[in-house]
Amino acid sequence: MNQLENEVIDEPAFSKLICTSNHGFAPYAQEELHRLFGSVKSKMLVPGEVMLVSLQHELKEIYAVMERQEPIFLRHMFAVSWEYEYDEVSGDAWSWLSELNQFIASHSFLKESNIVVQVRKSTQSVWQDSPAELKTIIQDGLGDLGAQFVVKDADYVISIFAAQNGVYAGVEAVGHQLSDWNGGAIRFQKEEGQVSRAKFKLLEAEVSFGIPFSSFHNALDIGAAPGGWTSFLLERGLKVTAVDPAKMAPSVLASPNLTYLKKNADSVKFNEGQFDLLVCDMSWSPKGTAKLVINLLDALQPGGTAIVTVKLLHKKPMALISEIISMFQDARLQVQRAKQLAHNRDEITLYMIKY
């Protein structure tokens, strides 16, 4: 027996994940993964949005890196620990269901735990019916576990993605998915008389970033019209100064806690430290928005919070984001989170604290 036959060759760690971004931003999520982990192999399951990713790293290392440096464009992921490849010629479109249930039931730690089951599918999928129907089948098949199937406050999450030619699943503790919501797609119900859908961005920031908006007192809303963000802040009990030359919605103007300045934001002046919250959601150039916010920062108290959306009117968003963050940091704003939320479109949201 030669020396080579006695040697044990260590195989590199290998992990598969289902990764999700906002539609059209998967290439940027892939670029982030490459910067964080080096070599990335990926297969698109939903064009521009959902991909199967292979990384040469252990899951515990991936989770640790993500905790230290959360990606901006990757909004959700789950580790794949079971997969089924469907052969349209010889495959049985239903055989995987019993195998999947057996795989999930084999996790003894699920017994008598709080479990959330999250199911998604592509438009063309091996699973023909709705995700809700597949979720019901999965839960019914796990009845002997004595588990509680919940919507929130779960201990573990069972994630399933049914693609065109395969099914991917994972079972893991809650907290490794970047978002508690299925695919990272948090949804809010539109309210009667709602001023604009822009309100959903702050609602999502409140949940995703854990921002206690009700704890603030005086807010400055730059580029406020027609009043989506202003209405949200008023509902949280804040006094709001809204600045915009355009018209505000009548329902917003009726609030006694609103001060409306029908002016351009670059022509107004405020007292130093007048506000403990500054928000800005403008359809303007990212550098122009940053300069406008920076010019009004004296009005924000030290320790105050700034929430700003940055429009990605650029073919190289990573470089643009880095430049904008540098501008804010030079102006004494420390970025707490930078994320493309589910309700962002061609933009990201920055959550910052003034120091």
Side-chain angles (χ1 to χ4, degrees), residues 65-89:
V65 170
M66 294 288 193
E67 187 172 349
R68 292 194 304 267
Q69 187 175 346
E70 182 184 3
I72 294 172
F73 294 103
L74 178 60
R75 76 175 191 219
H76 186 273
M77 67 180 190
F78 75 81
V80 175
S81 48
W82 180 92
E83 59 183 298
Y84 167 87
E85 292 186 3
Y86 175 60
D87 184 342
E88 293 184 1
V89 176

Short mmCIF file of all heavy atoms in Angstrom, two decimals, residues 65-89:
data_model
loop_
_atom_site.label_atom_id
_atom_site.label_comp_id
_atom_site.label_asym_id
_atom_site.label_seq_id
_atom_site.Cartn_x
_atom_site.Cartn_y
_atom_site.Cartn_z
N VAL A 65 -20.64 35.31 8.70
CA VAL A 65 -20.27 36.42 7.81
C VAL A 65 -21.47 37.31 7.56
O VAL A 65 -21.38 38.55 7.59
CB VAL A 65 -19.71 35.88 6.48
CG1 VAL A 65 -19.55 37.00 5.45
CG2 VAL A 65 -18.36 35.20 6.71
N MET A 66 -22.64 36.71 7.32
CA MET A 66 -23.86 37.48 7.06
C MET A 66 -24.26 38.32 8.27
O MET A 66 -24.80 39.42 8.13
CB MET A 66 -25.01 36.54 6.71
CG MET A 66 -24.84 35.79 5.40
SD MET A 66 -25.03 36.85 3.97
CE MET A 66 -25.15 35.61 2.69
N GLU A 67 -24.00 37.81 9.46
CA GLU A 67 -24.33 38.56 10.67
C GLU A 67 -23.43 39.77 10.82
O GLU A 67 -23.87 40.83 11.26
CB GLU A 67 -24.20 37.66 11.90
CG GLU A 67 -24.69 38.30 13.17
CD GLU A 67 -24.72 37.34 14.34
OE1 GLU A 67 -24.56 36.11 14.12
OE2 GLU A 67 -24.89 37.80 15.48
N ARG A 68 -22.16 39.63 10.42
CA ARG A 68 -21.21 40.75 10.52
C ARG A 68 -21.44 41.77 9.42
O ARG A 68 -21.27 42.97 9.62
CB ARG A 68 -19.77 40.24 10.45
CG ARG A 68 -19.33 39.43 11.64
CD ARG A 68 -17.83 39.26 11.66
NE ARG A 68 -17.32 38.67 10.44
CZ ARG A 68 -17.12 37.36 10.27
NH1 ARG A 68 -17.42 36.52 11.26
NH2 ARG A 68 -16.64 36.88 9.13
N GLN A 69 -21.79 41.30 8.23
CA GLN A 69 -21.92 42.18 7.08
C GLN A 69 -23.13 41.75 6.25
O GLN A 69 -23.01 41.00 5.29
CB GLN A 69 -20.63 42.14 6.24
CG GLN A 69 -20.61 43.16 5.12
CD GLN A 69 -19.28 43.17 4.39
OE1 GLN A 69 -18.28 42.61 4.85
NE2 GLN A 69 -19.25 43.79 3.23
N GLU A 70 -24.29 42.25 6.62
CA GLU A 70 -25.52 41.88 5.93
C GLU A 70 -25.52 42.40 4.50
O GLU A 70 -25.24 43.58 4.27
CB GLU A 70 -26.74 42.43 6.67
CG GLU A 70 -28.05 42.03 6.04
CD GLU A 70 -29.25 42.67 6.71
OE1 GLU A 70 -29.05 43.46 7.65
OE2 GLU A 70 -30.39 42.38 6.29
N PRO A 71 -25.85 41.55 3.53
CA PRO A 71 -25.93 42.02 2.14
C PRO A 71 -27.03 43.06 1.96
O PRO A 71 -28.01 43.08 2.70
CB PRO A 71 -26.25 40.74 1.36
CG PRO A 71 -25.90 39.62 2.26
CD PRO A 71 -26.13 40.12 3.64
N ILE A 72 -26.85 43.89 0.95
CA ILE A 72 -27.84 44.93 0.65
C ILE A 72 -28.94 44.37 -0.26
O ILE A 72 -30.13 44.59 -0.02
CB ILE A 72 -27.16 46.13 -0.03
CG1 ILE A 72 -26.20 46.82 0.95
CG2 ILE A 72 -28.20 47.14 -0.55
CD1 ILE A 72 -25.35 47.90 0.32
N PHE A 73 -28.55 43.62 -1.28
CA PHE A 73 -29.50 43.19 -2.30
C PHE A 73 -30.05 41.78 -2.06
O PHE A 73 -31.12 41.45 -2.57
CB PHE A 73 -28.86 43.26 -3.68
CG PHE A 73 -28.55 44.66 -4.12
CD1 PHE A 73 -27.25 45.14 -4.07
CD2 PHE A 73 -29.55 45.52 -4.53
CE1 PHE A 73 -26.96 46.45 -4.45
CE2 PHE A 73 -29.27 46.82 -4.91
CZ PHE A 73 -27.96 47.29 -4.88
N LEU A 74 -29.34 40.96 -1.33
CA LEU A 74 -29.85 39.63 -0.98
C LEU A 74 -30.81 39.80 0.20
O LEU A 74 -30.40 40.11 1.30
CB LEU A 74 -28.70 38.70 -0.59
CG LEU A 74 -29.08 37.28 -0.16
CD1 LEU A 74 -29.82 36.56 -1.27
CD2 LEU A 74 -27.84 36.51 0.27
N ARG A 75 -32.10 39.60 -0.05
CA ARG A 75 -33.09 39.91 0.99
C ARG A 75 -33.53 38.67 1.77
O ARG A 75 -34.09 38.77 2.85
CB ARG A 75 -34.30 40.62 0.39
CG ARG A 75 -35.27 39.74 -0.36
CD ARG A 75 -36.50 40.48 -0.83
NE ARG A 75 -37.51 39.57 -1.32
CZ ARG A 75 -38.27 39.79 -2.38
NH1 ARG A 75 -38.12 40.89 -3.06
NH2 ARG A 75 -39.18 38.91 -2.74
N HIS A 76 -33.28 37.46 1.21
CA HIS A 76 -33.72 36.24 1.89
C HIS A 76 -32.89 35.07 1.38
O HIS A 76 -32.46 35.05 0.22
CB HIS A 76 -35.20 35.97 1.61
CG HIS A 76 -35.77 34.81 2.37
ND1 HIS A 76 -35.70 33.52 1.90
CD2 HIS A 76 -36.41 34.74 3.56
CE1 HIS A 76 -36.28 32.71 2.77
NE2 HIS A 76 -36.72 33.42 3.78
N MET A 77 -32.66 34.09 2.26
CA MET A 77 -31.98 32.87 1.83
C MET A 77 -32.40 31.73 2.77
O MET A 77 -32.85 31.95 3.88
CB MET A 77 -30.45 33.04 1.88
CG MET A 77 -29.88 33.22 3.26
SD MET A 77 -28.09 33.42 3.24
CE MET A 77 -27.72 33.29 5.00
N PHE A 78 -32.27 30.50 2.27
CA PHE A 78 -32.38 29.35 3.15
C PHE A 78 -31.45 28.25 2.66
O PHE A 78 -31.16 28.13 1.46
CB PHE A 78 -33.83 28.85 3.31
CG PHE A 78 -34.40 28.08 2.14
CD1 PHE A 78 -34.12 26.74 1.95
CD2 PHE A 78 -35.27 28.71 1.25
CE1 PHE A 78 -34.68 26.03 0.89
CE2 PHE A 78 -35.85 28.01 0.19
CZ PHE A 78 -35.54 26.65 0.02
N ALA A 79 -30.92 27.50 3.62
CA ALA A 79 -29.98 26.43 3.31
C ALA A 79 -30.73 25.21 2.77
O ALA A 79 -31.72 24.77 3.37
CB ALA A 79 -29.19 26.06 4.55
N VAL A 80 -30.26 24.68 1.66
CA VAL A 80 -30.88 23.51 1.04
C VAL A 80 -30.25 22.26 1.63
O VAL A 80 -29.04 22.03 1.50
CB VAL A 80 -30.69 23.53 -0.49
CG1 VAL A 80 -31.22 22.25 -1.12
CG2 VAL A 80 -31.37 24.75 -1.10
N SER A 81 -31.06 21.43 2.28
CA SER A 81 -30.55 20.16 2.82
C SER A 81 -31.27 18.95 2.21
O SER A 81 -31.00 17.81 2.57
CB SER A 81 -30.68 20.15 4.35
OG SER A 81 -31.95 20.57 4.78
N TRP A 82 -32.22 19.22 1.32
CA TRP A 82 -32.90 18.15 0.57
C TRP A 82 -33.29 18.71 -0.78
O TRP A 82 -33.74 19.86 -0.90
CB TRP A 82 -34.15 17.70 1.33
CG TRP A 82 -34.94 16.61 0.64
CD1 TRP A 82 -34.80 15.27 0.81
CD2 TRP A 82 -35.99 16.77 -0.33
NE1 TRP A 82 -35.69 14.57 0.02
CE2 TRP A 82 -36.44 15.49 -0.70
CE3 TRP A 82 -36.59 17.89 -0.94
CZ2 TRP A 82 -37.45 15.28 -1.63
CZ3 TRP A 82 -37.60 17.67 -1.86
CH2 TRP A 82 -38.02 16.39 -2.20
N GLU A 83 -33.09 17.91 -1.83
CA GLU A 83 -33.50 18.37 -3.16
C GLU A 83 -33.95 17.20 -4.01
O GLU A 83 -33.55 16.05 -3.80
CB GLU A 83 -32.38 19.14 -3.86
CG GLU A 83 -31.09 18.39 -4.07
CD GLU A 83 -30.02 19.28 -4.69
OE1 GLU A 83 -30.24 19.75 -5.82
OE2 GLU A 83 -28.99 19.49 -4.04
N TYR A 84 -34.80 17.52 -4.95
CA TYR A 84 -35.36 16.53 -5.86
C TYR A 84 -35.28 17.09 -7.28
O TYR A 84 -35.69 18.23 -7.52
CB TYR A 84 -36.81 16.24 -5.49
CG TYR A 84 -37.59 15.47 -6.53
CD1 TYR A 84 -37.58 14.07 -6.54
CD2 TYR A 84 -38.35 16.14 -7.50
CE1 TYR A 84 -38.30 13.36 -7.49
CE2 TYR A 84 -39.08 15.43 -8.45
CZ TYR A 84 -39.04 14.05 -8.44
OH TYR A 84 -39.75 13.35 -9.39
N GLU A 85 -34.69 16.32 -8.18
CA GLU A 85 -34.62 16.72 -9.58
C GLU A 85 -35.64 15.93 -10.38
O GLU A 85 -35.66 14.70 -10.35
CB GLU A 85 -33.21 16.50 -10.13
CG GLU A 85 -32.17 17.42 -9.52
CD GLU A 85 -30.82 17.27 -10.21
OE1 GLU A 85 -30.73 16.50 -11.19
OE2 GLU A 85 -29.87 17.91 -9.75
N TYR A 86 -36.48 16.65 -11.08
CA TYR A 86 -37.58 16.02 -11.81
C TYR A 86 -37.21 15.80 -13.28
O TYR A 86 -36.79 16.73 -13.97
CB TYR A 86 -38.84 16.90 -11.72
CG TYR A 86 -40.00 16.40 -12.55
CD1 TYR A 86 -40.55 15.14 -12.34
CD2 TYR A 86 -40.56 17.21 -13.54
CE1 TYR A 86 -41.61 14.68 -13.09
CE2 TYR A 86 -41.62 16.76 -14.31
CZ TYR A 86 -42.15 15.50 -14.08
OH TYR A 86 -43.20 15.05 -14.85
N ASP A 87 -37.38 14.58 -13.72
CA ASP A 87 -37.15 14.22 -15.11
C ASP A 87 -38.52 14.11 -15.79
O ASP A 87 -39.32 13.24 -15.48
CB ASP A 87 -36.42 12.88 -15.19
CG ASP A 87 -36.06 12.48 -16.62
OD1 ASP A 87 -36.67 13.04 -17.56
OD2 ASP A 87 -35.19 11.62 -16.79
N GLU A 88 -38.80 15.03 -16.74
CA GLU A 88 -40.12 15.07 -17.37
C GLU A 88 -40.43 13.80 -18.15
O GLU A 88 -41.59 13.46 -18.35
CB GLU A 88 -40.20 16.28 -18.30
CG GLU A 88 -40.17 17.61 -17.57
CD GLU A 88 -40.36 18.77 -18.53
OE1 GLU A 88 -40.54 18.52 -19.74
OE2 GLU A 88 -40.33 19.93 -18.07
N VAL A 89 -39.38 13.09 -18.60
CA VAL A 89 -39.60 11.88 -19.40
C VAL A 89 -39.92 10.69 -18.51
O VAL A 89 -40.93 9.99 -18.69
CB VAL A 89 -38.37 11.58 -20.27
CG1 VAL A 89 -38.59 10.26 -21.04
CG2 VAL A 89 -38.11 12.73 -21.23
#
